[in-house]
């Protein structure tokens, strides 16, 4: 006695999901997210390692990462020491770093968007080939040509 084995029927949404994933926009979006994450790391280093030390030096040697308030009322020399002691802290300096990161990323995105808009405008203004004649136009041209040959 033979028994036949068949796979369960796939739900309809699975095919739609495969079509969605296979579209180019999704792949482009994934690539953009990966590049954006890498760019965020670069900007984070730029702010933390280059910009903040220069700003800190200009305002008297302040290290932004160590601008914090310990909520337990005790005093700690660094944020790291306060966190190791388990003290709750309000990290003002880290917020300043995040704010500078945001401004730099927003500035870069602004310029990338501006360049993309300029490129799209140039493509739209570029002359394109004239549209193919419609069926009616082709028939009228044939009639005209026939009339010329008869006359």
């Amino acid at each position: 006695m033979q028994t036949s084995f068949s796979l369960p029927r796939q739900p309809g949404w699975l095919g739609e999901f495969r079509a969605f994933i296979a579209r180019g926009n999704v792949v482009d979006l994934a690539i953009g997210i990966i590049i954006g994450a890498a760019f965020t790391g670069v900007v984070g280093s730029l702010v933390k390692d280059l910009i903040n030390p220069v700003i800190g030096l200009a305002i008297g040697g302040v290290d932004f990462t160590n601008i914090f308030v310990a909520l337990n009322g005790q005093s700690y020399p660094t944020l790291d020491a306060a966190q190791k002691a388990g003290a709750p802290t309000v990290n003002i300096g880290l917020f300043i770093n995040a704010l500078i990161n945001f401004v730099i990323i927003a500035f870069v995105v602004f310029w990338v968007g501006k360049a993309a808009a300029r490129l799209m405008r140039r493509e739209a203004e570029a002359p394109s080939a004239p549209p193919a004649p419609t069926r009616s136009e082709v028939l009228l041209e044939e009639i005209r040509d026939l009339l010329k040959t008869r006359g």
Side-chain angles (χ1 to χ4, degrees):
M1 186 162 147
Q2 268 186 333
T3 59
S4 65
F5 177 75
S6 64
L7 294 173
R9 194 172 72 89
Q10 292 183 352
W13 61 265
L14 190 59
E16 291 177 40
F17 181 71
R18 283 186 187 145
F20 171 75
I21 292 297
R23 288 194 330 214
N25 295 349
V26 174
V27 174
D28 292 344
L29 179 62
I31 291 170
I33 289 171
I34 292 167
I35 290 173
F39 180 71
T40 300
V42 170
V43 171
S45 176
L46 173 73
V47 170
K48 178 182 173 199
D49 302 327
L50 297 176
I51 294 175
N52 283 349
V54 171
I55 293 172
L57 182 64
I59 61 173
V62 176
D63 178 12
F64 285 117
T65 56
N66 286 316
I67 300 175
F68 67 97
V69 175
L71 298 177
N72 63 1
Q74 297 181 8
S75 180
Y76 299 94
T78 64
L79 177 62
D80 190 43
Q83 289 175 338
K84 284 182 181 173
T89 58
V90 175
N91 304 323
I92 299 166
L94 295 179
F95 176 73
I96 292 171
N97 286 348
L99 197 59
I100 294 170
N101 281 349
F102 171 77
V103 168
I104 291 172
I105 289 172
F107 185 73
V108 169
V109 168
F110 167 76
W111 283 107
V112 167
K114 194 171 172 89
R118 187 179 317 126
L119 179 65
M120 289 171 36
R121 197 176 324 116
R122 281 187 191 157
E123 288 177 1
E125 292 172 356
S128 60
T134 64
R135 176 84 174 127
S136 300
E137 290 171 336
V138 171
L139 289 173
L140 287 171
E141 287 174 359
E142 289 175 0
I143 293 170
R144 180 198 64 203
D145 295 342
L146 282 173
L147 289 173
K148 277 184 183 177
T149 58
R150 285 187 180 175

